[in-house]
Amino acid sequence: MPRDTLTADRIVHAAIELLDEEGLDGLNMRSLAKRLGSAATAVYWYIKTKDDLVRLASDTVWHEVEPPDLDATDWRTAATAHADGMHAMLTRHPWLVQAFGSHLLYGPGQARYNDLSLAVYEKAGFAADDADRAAGTVFTFVLGSTLGPAAQVSLNRRLGRNGADAEQLLADAVARATETAMEFPRLRERLGTKAATEYAAAPDSTFEFGLRSLLDGFEARLAADGAGRRE
């Protein structure tokens, strides 16, 4: 592909595809150029460094989070939709979870998300400082809830390198971990009964439970603050 058919947007979207498939470690200009049918030097004409590429890719995927309409819904519904959208986006792009700890990430996509988060909690009735805290708390919770799945994707990729049987290696590790867990009463109860399947599936329901609990706490705090002002 000649250089003049490339655009920064095409390069960034190709980088997202490569990141989704190979993770941060698999992203390099040579592989990206091959995917684009171009030369690495042509890619550098538009985007100078890998760090710039990761930053642009990360900000692009933030635009996937559909903003709730604050004029058409209550704050709690909006907060739930906003957090769910972030969680789904990070689940689709697990490399972004890792990038938070290794790259400087910023841009209009992430700024839009953060600004709307503040608007949600201001609508709920929080003063500016507490709206900041509420938005930061939910952001941290959502990010933390995706660490496990993101780590699993990275682990599976690493285990499967050089032709290794990642599925078997993981199964062996799970078996050994289960043997260890059976030495502890509460884990033994869950793993040794019909509840084992539900226990293994806990991360999905844990996110929903945790988000509801956070928002319940926010509602209780707002109600308490309102009662205090009326006294």
Side-chain angles (χ1 to χ4, degrees):
M1 178 183 296
R3 192 193 72 194
D4 61 2
T5 67
L6 288 177
T7 64
D9 186 66
R10 291 189 64 189
I11 293 169
V12 168
H13 281 87
I16 292 170
E17 293 177 358
L18 185 57
L19 284 162
D20 289 345
E21 294 173 13
E22 303 293 338
L24 284 174
D25 292 340
L27 177 66
N28 59 71
M29 294 303 196
R30 186 182 299 277
S31 297
L32 180 60
K34 182 178 180 180
R35 179 178 290 259
L36 289 163
S38 183
T41 52
V43 175
Y44 281 116
W45 181 267
Y46 293 92
I47 299 174
K48 302 302 182 185
T49 69
K50 178 180 174 179
D51 285 348
D52 286 340
L53 187 57
V54 172
R55 176 177 57 80
L56 292 168
S58 72
D59 200 60
T60 297
V61 299
W62 275 106
H63 285 284
E64 296 177 10
V65 181
E66 189 70 26
D69 185 351
L70 290 182
D71 295 329
T73 189
D74 62 278
W75 78 266
R76 179 157 180 158
T77 301
T80 300
H82 206 40
D84 284 345
M86 176 182 169
H87 187 269
M89 182 272 289
L90 292 175
T91 300
R92 288 192 299 272
H93 308 292
W95 53 269
L96 181 53
V97 179
Q98 297 171 297
F100 273 107
S102 57
H103 290 74
L104 297 173
L105 304 178
Y106 56 89
Q110 186 173 346
R112 183 197 67 160
Y113 181 92
N114 292 338
D115 186 76
L116 186 55
S117 292
L118 295 176
V120 167
Y121 297 108
E122 286 179 355
K123 178 174 182 176
F126 284 115
D129 286 351
D130 281 344
D132 292 349
R133 297 183 182 101
T137 297
V138 173
F139 186 98
T140 302
F141 169 72
V142 177
L143 180 61
S145 73
T146 60
L147 285 174
Q152 188 65 58
V153 170
S154 179
L155 177 62
N156 289 344
R157 189 180 293 120
R158 186 180 69 80
L159 291 177
R161 287 176 184 166
N162 302 318
D165 188 340
E167 186 174 339
Q168 186 58 53
L169 289 171
L170 186 60
D172 292 343
V174 168
R176 291 192 293 271
T178 300
E179 290 178 5
T180 301
M182 294 296 280
E183 299 176 12
F184 298 88
R186 291 167 186 82
L187 298 179
R188 182 169 60 248
E189 179 182 359
R190 285 160 174 78
L191 294 171
T193 69
K194 65 180 181 180
T197 300
E198 294 179 4
Y199 181 67
D204 289 336
S205 59
T206 296
F207 173 71
E208 297 165 0
F209 175 86
L211 181 59
R212 285 198 306 271
S213 298
L214 279 178
L215 299 183
D216 286 346
F218 291 166
E219 279 195 324
R221 185 181 185 90
L222 289 165
D225 288 346
R229 287 193 293 271
R230 290 191 296 272
E231 292 178 356

